[in-house]
Amino acid sequence: QVQLVESGGGLVQAGGSLRLSCAASGGIFRGSLMRWYRQAPGKQRELVASITAGGRTNYADSVKGRFTISRDNAKNTVYLQMNSLKPEDTAVYYCNAEYAYIYWGQGTQVTVSS
């Protein structure tokens, strides 16, 4: 059974940093396209960043230069390093894995105060 468990969310002041982690179980991680999404209150879920099995990354324009996605295949974990956080980054952040099917984590809250 595939499980994705996010951690690392919290409350931070504008300009601060957080690192989110998503640990995957179920044997799919190495071959998976991994993504981070976020959903703010009253808004649609949006793609923040993605990383292929080979390590190619892609970012939403709103986070380019501030966020970095990475993966550690030995730990079956994908990370999202978030720097220079802004109040508009406040959202629930979800980890997503694509490997034949789509799998979602439960989400972790990130709140950026002004």
Side-chain angles (χ1 to χ4, degrees):
Q1 184 177 358
V2 175
Q3 280 194 314
L4 303 176
V5 180
E6 300 101 330
S7 61
L11 173 64
V12 65
Q13 287 189 330
S17 298
L18 284 173
R19 188 176 81 155
L20 305 183
S21 300
C22 172
S25 60
I28 67 164
F29 185 80
R30 287 179 184 269
S32 292
L33 169 63
M34 301 298 298
R35 304 182 182 99
W36 284 99
Y37 282 79
R38 67 185 180 187
Q39 188 166 20
K43 294 188 176 181
Q44 288 189 330
R45 192 170 295 190
E46 63 172 348
L47 177 63
V48 175
S50 64
I51 185 166
T52 67
R56 182 173 295 182
T57 60
N58 198 24
Y59 298 92
D61 287 343
S62 58
V63 306
K64 278 181 182 176
R66 299 189 298 123
F67 291 11
T68 302
I69 189 171
S70 62
R71 64 192 296 158
D72 185 335
N73 289 338
K75 295 183 178 180
N76 293 334
T77 300
V78 63
Y79 303 98
L80 186 68
Q81 178 66 45
M82 305 186 295
N83 298 328
S84 303
L85 282 161
K86 304 175 181 180
E88 51 264 44
D89 294 319
T90 295
V92 178
Y93 283 70
Y94 297 91
C95 177
N96 168 291
E98 181 177 342
Y99 186 83
Y101 299 99
I102 301 291
Y103 304 92
W104 290 94
Q106 83 289 349
T108 185
Q109 176 71 46
V110 172
T111 303
V112 185
S113 63
S114 57

